[in-house]
């Protein structure tokens, strides 16, 4: 046995989060793609069965009240809130990340005022965020400028209305400095909108602490809500009375069952609702979030960094020199919970890895991505993944 294999065993034995693995439905595959789709929490199948058979099948329409369907978006938002450093009453769950990006960005521009004529967007962002920012700029009559997060402070002017940024770069795993960038945006009199898809559930975010204005995120990655599970929208409490959604729906009306022709927004974060919630996915997500009971985010972050450090050490030991280039920053303060490796034959390599029971993903043209979900990934998984990667790239 190699020294790294033995070290992995010792690290797993000392890992206080290791018992959390039993909260998930897993097999003997090394699953390092939780940054795309989280593993299935063990309690979700029975909960969904109850929702379908009893709440829908027996109670039917009564479940909107008796089973709490109507209040699910804000109730589940309050469960997510501690994971992103927010007090209750500021997060509403529903719709997709894309829809919530649109709501948040347009609302931010409207709050900024007519004299603010420019939107800044992260030039390295996930493509959809860029598409939506372009559409929002056209719709609101603003110009759009794409800049890297590092360029944001110098790009801000008195004309900047809002800045849309990703907390973690989806390709490289680079963690951007949310506190300092938010502060810079505010110093220019603009609003900060953050996409938390690759950070929520993997590391502390501190939305309230750092004065973030609006934030959005998906729930199917590190929050393990299931494929297509609903996203969430955070609206800072001090902005809620000014939040003017570009998608006003009957669910966000002050009197949703009044069926009035004129729109009057509900108070608080409820303004972020639009139409009828997707109850099956919503309640599957609620059940999935129970795996977080008693789990401190700081401990998750500490294990995440330990896992990625160990993976990089194992890659250096097992992978032939020159076969991969690490795109993820080494510095902890600049690293999310994934490692991205540039590899000339990345697409073929990932297929071979998956065939040997190590699941990551491939991003064109040449990036291997490995996501580390501390709730269920262990150090033995990390050692095995790097060892198999070395064998695949070494021709074994």
């Amino acid at each position: 046995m190699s020294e790294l294999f033995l070290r992995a065993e010792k690290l797993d034995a000392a890992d206080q989060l290791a018992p959390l693995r039993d909260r998930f439905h897993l097999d003997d595959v090394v699953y390092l793609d939780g940054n795309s789709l989280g593993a299935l929490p063990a309690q979700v199948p029975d909960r969904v069965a109850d929702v379908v058979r009893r709440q829908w099948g027996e109670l039917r329409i009564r479940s909107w009240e008796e089973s709490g369907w109507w209040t699910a978006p804000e109730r589940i938002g309050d469960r997510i809130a501690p994971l992103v450093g927010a007090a209750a009453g500021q997060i509403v769950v529903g719709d997709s990340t894309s829809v919530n990006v649109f709501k948040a960005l347009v609302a931010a521009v409207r709050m900024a005022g007519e004299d603010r004529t420019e939107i800044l967007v992260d030039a390295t962002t996930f493509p959809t965020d860029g598409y939506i920012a372009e559409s929002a700029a056209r719709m609101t009559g603003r110009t759009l400028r794409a800049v890297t997060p590092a360029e944001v402070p110098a790009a801000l002017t008195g004309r900047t209305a809002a800045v849309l940024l990703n907390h973690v770069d989806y390709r490289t795993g680079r963690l951007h400095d949310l506190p300092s960038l938010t502060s810079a945006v505010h110093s220019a009199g603009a609003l900060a909108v953050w996409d938390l898809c690759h950070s929520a559930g993997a590391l502390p975010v501190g939305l309230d602490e750092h004065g973030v204005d609006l934030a959005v995120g998906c729930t199917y990655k590190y929050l393990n809500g299931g494929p297509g599970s609903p996203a969430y929208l955070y609206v800072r409490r001090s902005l809620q009375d000014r939040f003017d959604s570009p998608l006003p729906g009957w669910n966000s009306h002050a009197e949703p069952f009044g069926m009035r022709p004129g729109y009057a927004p509900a108070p608080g974060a409820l303004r972020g609702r639009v139409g009828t919630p997707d109850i099956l996915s919503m309640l599957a997500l609620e059940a999935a979030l129970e795996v977080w009971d008693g789990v401190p985010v700081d401990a998750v972050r500490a294990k995440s960094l330990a896992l990625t450090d160990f993976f990089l050490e194992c890659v250096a030991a097992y992978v032939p020199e020159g076969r991969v280039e690490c795109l993820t920053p080494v510095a902890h303060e600049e690293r999310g919970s994934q490692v991205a490796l540039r590899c000339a034959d990345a697409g073929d390599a990932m297929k071979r890895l998956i065939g040997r029971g190590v699941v990551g993903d491939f991003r064109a043209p040449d990036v291997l991505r490995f996501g580390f979900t501390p709730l269920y990934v262990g150090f033995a998984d990390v050692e095995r993944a790097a060892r198999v990667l070395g064998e695949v790239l070494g021709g074994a």
Side-chain angles (χ1 to χ4, degrees), residues 39-355:
L40 172 66
Q43 71 272 23
V44 169
D46 287 345
R47 191 69 55 79
V48 171
D50 177 71
V51 172
V52 172
R53 291 173 181 159
R54 183 182 63 84
Q55 296 182 28
W56 178 16
E58 298 175 16
L59 296 178
R60 292 177 287 273
I61 197 71
R62 292 161 50 195
S63 275
W64 284 106
E65 181 177 349
E66 295 180 27
S67 301
W69 288 1
W70 184 259
T71 58
E74 57 267 31
R75 183 178 72 243
I76 301 170
D78 286 346
R79 290 209 67 148
I80 293 172
L83 303 179
V84 292
Q90 298 175 99
I91 294 179
V92 64
V93 175
D95 306 311
S96 67
T97 307
S98 302
V99 172
N100 284 323
V101 168
F102 178 75
K103 285 187 258 181
L105 188 56
V106 173
V109 170
R110 288 176 173 178
M111 286 188 280
E114 292 299 323
D115 58 330
R116 299 275 177 163
T117 59
E118 184 177 69
I119 298 170
L120 299 183
V121 64
D122 184 346
T124 63
T125 191
F126 187 76
T128 290
D129 287 20
Y131 306 154
I132 289 172
E134 183 180 2
S135 178
R138 291 199 311 270
M139 193 181 85
T140 59
R142 268 65 174 184
T143 58
L144 181 69
R145 185 153 52 115
V147 296
T148 67
E151 294 170 335
V152 165
L156 292 162
T157 72
R159 296 183 296 105
T160 308
V163 183
L164 173 61
L165 292 163
N166 278 250
H167 197 190
V168 173
D169 186 298
Y170 80 101
R171 286 190 188 89
T172 67
R174 176 179 290 276
L175 173 65
H176 298 303
D177 191 343
L178 180 147
S180 68
L181 287 170
T182 300
S183 177
V185 171
H186 288 167
S187 294
L191 283 84
V193 182
W194 284 91
D195 183 329
L196 310 178
C197 285
H198 286 270
S199 57
L203 52 91
V205 177
L207 293 179
D208 286 354
E209 177 185 358
H210 302 302
V212 168
D213 300 302
L214 301 121
V216 303
C218 67
T219 61
Y220 47 78
K221 300 182 190 297
Y222 296 109
L223 298 183
N224 310 295
S229 56
Y232 57 91
L233 169 67
Y234 165 89
V235 183
R236 181 157 54 90
R237 195 179 309 280
S238 62
L239 296 178
Q240 289 175 0
D241 288 345
R242 297 171 53 207
F243 181 82
D244 181 8
S245 175
L247 295 173
W250 77 286
N251 257 235
S252 62
H253 198 286
E255 297 180 70
F257 293 97
M259 303 301 168
R260 303 184 185 282
Y263 180 74
L270 290 179
R271 293 183 178 204
R273 292 176 66 153
V274 183
T276 306
D278 183 345
I279 290 301
L280 299 184
S281 291
M282 188 86 67
L283 298 187
L285 167 62
E286 185 172 35
L289 290 170
E290 292 176 9
V291 301
W292 287 94
D293 290 348
V295 180
V297 177
D298 286 343
V300 171
R301 175 58 169 166
K303 183 178 176 182
S304 164
L305 291 171
L307 288 169
T308 49
D309 279 344
F310 189 55
F311 181 70
L312 290 171
E313 182 181 353
C314 290
V315 167
Y318 289 138
V319 176
E321 187 174 357
R323 287 292 277 122
V324 297
E325 172 194 357
C326 184
L327 301 179
T328 303
V330 173
H332 285 182
E333 65 272 18
E334 297 177 0
R335 188 194 310 167
S337 199
Q338 74 179 52
V339 171
L341 302 176
R342 177 170 285 143
C343 175
D345 50 348
D348 179 66
M350 183 54 68
K351 289 178 183 177
R352 294 174 64 194
L353 280 170
I354 293 171

